[in-house]
């Protein structure tokens, strides 16, 4: 046992035993109350240990005929306990008969029964022999006191541990995590190493409830480093970024690898909602968002500016691959955007989305071409859904975006919406609903901008108009609002 680990063990013993003033002493039998004589004894044949005495082959737990140690177990009551001593005597003060060669398995009792202690005890008895009225047999017994914590099961648990001193059948007694957690503190208290090892080994192998885990964590500081290694490995990775690594791996599984993608996405979304470390979730989502956006942008850039120097069929295959890559990662982007908005951590995503002048230019060129319709007809809708989600979060105040971010978001993505409306045909009902929602959202954002910026952007919204003016009330309202504001008298003088 190393010096550090020994100190760990000693802390447990001091915590419980030293405070109870456990000492070797001789106390008259008449001081034991009647209730303490009504001992809850195990059957003398149920728990035995092989004796080192050549004249005795076995020793039984709580056997007064062969014992050489009497241990008084008493419950230490708090001074604030309202129960009277008479009320609690039956349950809190008992004596048991033990054998010194057996309880020597406990390092604590081995120390108490060492030659030095024995010499002091014998000297004290010789000095008081003339006054001692006890029989010779009782005089030769070693008397110990042991106070235990004032808990309902303390006496019972201590008796169980003392019985285990007489047997190696730990597997029969330690049959659940809760039992191991009840026995382990007592085993640590009396430095019963074999019992400690059995409890720890059992706890390593079985599941714990949340409450049991808390109890395990409270006991780990009192274990040797080697004993606590496996227990610690279960509850701690020892790395500060372990949660982020786990979340990142789950997100990758959800959007890339797992065959039941829809179910896994829903489950990971719930984990993210319930995850308490919001900043860790933000960092993981932002990292994957930037990665997916980069892939979409590169794929669309290569599609919009192809290299025609190779074979025509080869070029077409590359173009098809670029579109499919953009479509796949566009779907990933949409799921990530939903999660970020749900967790209210989409600030950086909105800013990034508003700074895509080159990307939106590539999209406009791509969507004016007819080739993409045969390969990825849903690509425009996927990217516009991402835009709509982010723009809606800005318009509703879920994300507080700066004026410049709001303006650039509309300025860069409004032309993409117009190109999709003009070139994507036939227009599906779901697409029509998406376009209308994005139109209304852009107009609401425009209403938050300075009059000069709104004036420029509203002109680009004329494509929102329909054959029947009554079918575009959102556009009518936006222009009416701008003109109402424009015709108001200047308000600068009212600020003085």
């Amino acid at each position: 046992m190393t010096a550090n680990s020994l100190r760990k063990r000693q802390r447990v013993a001091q915590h419980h035993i030293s405070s109870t003033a456990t000492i070797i002493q001789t106390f008259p039998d008449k001081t034991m109350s009647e209730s303490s004589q009504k001992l809850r004894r195990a059957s003398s044949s149920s728990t035995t240990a092989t004796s080192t005495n050549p004249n005795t082959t076995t020793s039984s737990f709580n056997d007064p005929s062969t014992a050489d140690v009497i241990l008084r177990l008493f419950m230490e009551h708090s001074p604030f306990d309202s129960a009277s001593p008479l009320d609690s005597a039956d349950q809190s003060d008992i004596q048991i008969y033990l054998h010194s060669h057996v309880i020597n398995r406990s390092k604590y009792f081995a120390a108490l029964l060492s030659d030095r202690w024995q010499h002091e005890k014998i000297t004290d008895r010789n000095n008081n022999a003339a006054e001692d009225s006890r029989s010779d047999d009782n005089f030769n017994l070693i008397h110990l006191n042991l106070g235990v914590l004032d808990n309902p099961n303390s006496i019972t648990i201590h008796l169980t541990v003392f019985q285990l001193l007489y047997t190696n059948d730990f597997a029969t007694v330690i049959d659940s995590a809760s039992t191991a957690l009840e026995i382990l503190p007592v085993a640590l208290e009396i430095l019963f190493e074999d019992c400690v090892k059995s409890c720890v080994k059992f706890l390593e192998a079985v599941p714990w409830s949340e409450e049991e885990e808390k109890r395990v964590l409270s006991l780990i500081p009192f274990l040797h480093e080697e004993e606590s290694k496996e227990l610690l490995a279960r509850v701690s990775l020892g790395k500060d970024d372990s949660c982020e690594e786990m979340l990142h791996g789950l997100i990758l599984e959800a959007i890339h690898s797992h065959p039941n993608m829809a179910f896994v996405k829903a489950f990971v979304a719930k984990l993210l909602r319930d995850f308490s470390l919001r900043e860790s979730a933000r960092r993981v989502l932002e990292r994957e968002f930037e990665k997916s956006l980069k892939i979409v942008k590169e794929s669309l850039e290569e599609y919009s500016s192809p290299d025609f120097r190779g074979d025509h069929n080869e070029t077409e295959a590359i173009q098809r691959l670029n579109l499919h890559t953009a479509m796949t990662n566009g779907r990933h982007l949409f799921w990530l955007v939903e999660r970020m908005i749900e967790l209210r951590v989409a600030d950086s995503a909105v800013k990034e989305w508003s700074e895509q002048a080159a990307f939106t230019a590539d999209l406009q060129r791509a969507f004016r071409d007819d080739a993409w319709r045969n390969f990825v007809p849903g690509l425009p809708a996927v990217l516009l859904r991402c835009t709509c989600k982010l723009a809606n979060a800005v318009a509703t105040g879920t994300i507080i975006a700066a004026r410049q971010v709001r303006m650039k978001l509309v300025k860069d993505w409004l032309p993409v919406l117009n190109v999709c409306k003009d070139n994507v045909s036939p227009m599906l009902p779901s697409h029509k609903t998406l376009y209308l929602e994005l139109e209304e959202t852009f107009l609401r954002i425009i209403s938050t901008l300075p009059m000069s910026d709104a004036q420029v952007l509203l002109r680009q919204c004329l494509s929102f108009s329909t054959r029947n003016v009554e079918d575009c009330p959102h556009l009518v309202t936006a222009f009416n609002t701008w003109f109402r504001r424009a015709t108001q008298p200047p308000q600068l003088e009212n600020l003085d």
Side-chain angles (χ1 to χ4, degrees), residues 24 69 99-101 103-104 108-118 142 144:
I24 294 186
V69 176
H99 303 79
S100 57
H101 70 274
I103 65 175
N104 271 334
Y108 176 76
F109 286 111
L112 286 181
L113 299 172
S114 66
D115 292 341
R116 181 174 64 86
W117 284 94
Q118 289 295 311
I142 301 170
L144 304 178

Side-chain angles (χ1 to χ4, degrees), residues 32-33 85 139 154 229 250 293 300 309:
M32 301 299 294
S33 64
F139 183 78
S154 287
K229 188 176 179 181
L250 291 173
L293 178 57
L300 264 298
R309 289 176 295 181

Side-chain angles (χ1 to χ4, degrees), residues 69-73 94-96 98 109 144-146 162:
V69 176
I70 296 179
L71 176 66
R72 174 180 170 242
L73 280 178
I94 66 170
Q95 70 177 25
I96 52 176
L98 303 172
F109 286 111
L144 304 178
N145 281 346
L146 178 59
F162 284 124

Side-chain angles (χ1 to χ4, degrees), residues 235-270:
V235 297
S236 174
L237 285 173
K239 297 188 294 183
D240 293 337
D241 59 351
S242 56
C243 287
E244 291 188 21
E245 284 186 10
M246 183 63 166
L247 282 179
H248 187 239
L250 291 173
I251 289 171
L252 289 179
E253 283 291 322
I255 65 179
H256 288 296
S257 306
H258 208 280
N260 295 324
M261 191 175 292
F263 299 139
V264 175
K265 279 184 174 180
F267 181 75
V268 174
K270 176 179 173 20

